Amino acid sequence: MSSMRNAVQRRNHKERSQPTQREKWGILEKHKDYSLRAKDYNEKKKRLKILREKAAERNPDEFSYGMLSSKTDKHGRKIQGRGNNSLSQDAAKLLKTQDAGYIRTVIQQTRSIREKMEQKYLLVNSGSVKVFRDEGRAKAGHHLLFADNREEQASLNLAQVRQDLRSSAEDSLEQRRSGDDTENDPKLPSLVRKDPHQLTLSNEEVLRPLKQEGAVRKPRQRGNQTQRSKLSALKARERDLRAAEQQLDYQRARMSNSIGGVNKAGVKWKFRERKR
């Protein structure tokens, strides 16, 4: 019978929510909330009663040797340590030496990865090919000019040559954009003319190779941007590791009294070896 009673669906008895006109007082407290609050209140009340009894029965002349090593704050509360044993100076210096060795190893690994990436990937910027070097320096590519003899080499005007190269590049780019150079472009299909002013191919067929070239160029640009971000992250990591290595070397030197510093009074001092 109990199984049949449990099989019958029963009504879910729900506690009412906070009325709308009393929403400013917050969530309506339920019976389970009141039970938890009352239980916590009674436990604290018992704890305070025990502490009052201990304070009333305390012996002012009580003494134990543990009081010599214990400390209290300005409010009379006992300050207890966490149980961590302090290391000796030699052990601390040894640990810092091991840390410095590990940091040097990580710096070498990071530097080798960065150098490999710099040698492998060329990033195109402002029309000139640049290779990432140390400290962000970049080296632009060179354009070689050949002459038949020394007289022709001496008569070359480099400024004029640069201007001619720049103008020819701009002209070719403008012709490609306007579509005037579609017949001479090897990437475009050959065009058969019915008459001097009409082409047999439609604009979509002419522009399809250009779209394909753009579809290949965009992933290449995204890949270059990704490699540039990775190189920047590697350089920042290497810089932080070097700063950590210098800080560890400074701490070890301070522990061995091989350099000076600033004492508690704010006076700078410098270590001097004893004269022999």
Side-chain angles (χ1 to χ4, degrees), residues 6-248:
N6 294 333
V8 177
Q9 186 177 3
R10 302 170 185 172
R11 180 182 177 184
N12 294 327
H13 296 277
K14 299 179 181 180
E15 298 186 29
R16 71 183 183 94
S17 60
Q18 182 73 289
T20 306
Q21 62 272 17
R22 293 180 57 86
E23 285 182 352
K24 61 181 180 179
W25 305 114
I27 301 175
L28 181 65
E29 186 181 33
K30 304 299 188 297
H31 177 71
K32 59 180 180 179
D33 302 326
Y34 165 76
S35 300
L36 293 174
R37 186 166 58 85
K39 183 179 179 181
D40 180 66
Y41 171 77
N42 292 327
E43 288 180 355
K44 291 179 179 179
K45 187 176 180 180
K46 293 178 182 178
R47 197 176 305 145
L48 289 174
K49 182 180 179 182
I50 295 173
L51 290 176
R52 291 193 188 97
E53 292 177 356
K54 286 185 177 182
E57 298 173 358
R58 187 179 70 86
N59 182 10
D61 299 330
E62 183 181 0
F63 173 77
S64 63
Y65 285 98
M67 296 180 181
L68 299 176
S69 59
S70 62
K71 297 180 181 180
T72 57
D73 58 5
K74 61 181 180 180
H75 300 290
R77 293 174 297 192
K78 184 178 179 181
I79 301 175
Q80 189 173 3
R82 299 181 179 180
N84 299 329
N85 298 326
S86 59
L87 298 175
S88 63
Q89 190 172 6
D90 295 337
K93 287 170 62 178
L94 178 61
L95 291 177
K96 289 182 182 296
T97 304
Q98 294 177 354
D99 293 342
Y102 171 74
I103 289 178
R104 291 192 190 96
T105 303
V106 177
I107 288 175
Q108 292 177 0
Q109 294 176 354
T110 307
R111 188 192 305 116
S112 62
I113 295 174
R114 177 179 58 81
E115 290 176 353
K116 288 180 181 178
M117 290 186 65
E118 289 175 351
Q119 294 174 3
K120 185 176 180 181
Y121 296 100
L122 300 177
L123 303 183
V124 179
N125 187 11
S126 300
S128 60
V129 179
K130 293 187 177 181
V131 184
F132 275 85
R133 303 292 182 185
D134 294 336
E135 304 299 333
R137 294 191 300 270
K139 182 178 180 182
H142 297 280
H143 188 85
L144 298 180
L145 298 177
F146 298 93
D148 296 335
N149 48 41
R150 292 186 179 277
E151 289 77 7
E152 185 179 356
Q153 180 182 3
S155 62
L156 284 176
N157 188 356
L158 298 181
Q160 185 64 30
V161 171
R162 293 194 189 97
Q163 184 65 26
D164 295 342
L165 290 174
R166 190 179 297 108
S167 60
S168 62
E170 293 176 357
D171 293 342
S172 62
L173 181 60
E174 186 65 26
Q175 289 177 1
R176 173 161 303 212
R177 289 177 179 175
S178 60
D180 296 338
D181 197 26
T182 53
E183 293 183 350
N184 299 327
D185 195 345
K187 297 181 180 180
L188 298 178
S190 59
L191 302 180
V192 180
R193 294 178 179 269
K194 291 183 180 179
D195 54 68
H197 302 287
Q198 186 178 5
L199 300 179
T200 57
L201 295 180
S202 63
N203 293 333
E204 295 182 359
E205 294 176 348
V206 172
L207 296 178
R208 187 181 299 112
L210 295 178
K211 293 181 180 179
Q212 294 177 356
E213 182 181 356
V216 174
R217 184 172 60 253
K218 288 182 180 179
R220 188 185 302 116
Q221 293 177 353
R222 287 195 295 266
N224 291 340
Q225 182 64 28
T226 302
Q227 298 303 327
R228 189 183 293 109
S229 302
K230 289 183 179 179
L231 282 172
S232 301
L234 286 173
K235 290 179 180 179
R237 176 179 172 83
E238 187 176 358
R239 184 170 57 253
D240 296 341
L241 288 172
R242 289 188 183 280
E245 182 186 9
Q246 293 177 0
Q247 184 64 23
L248 274 178

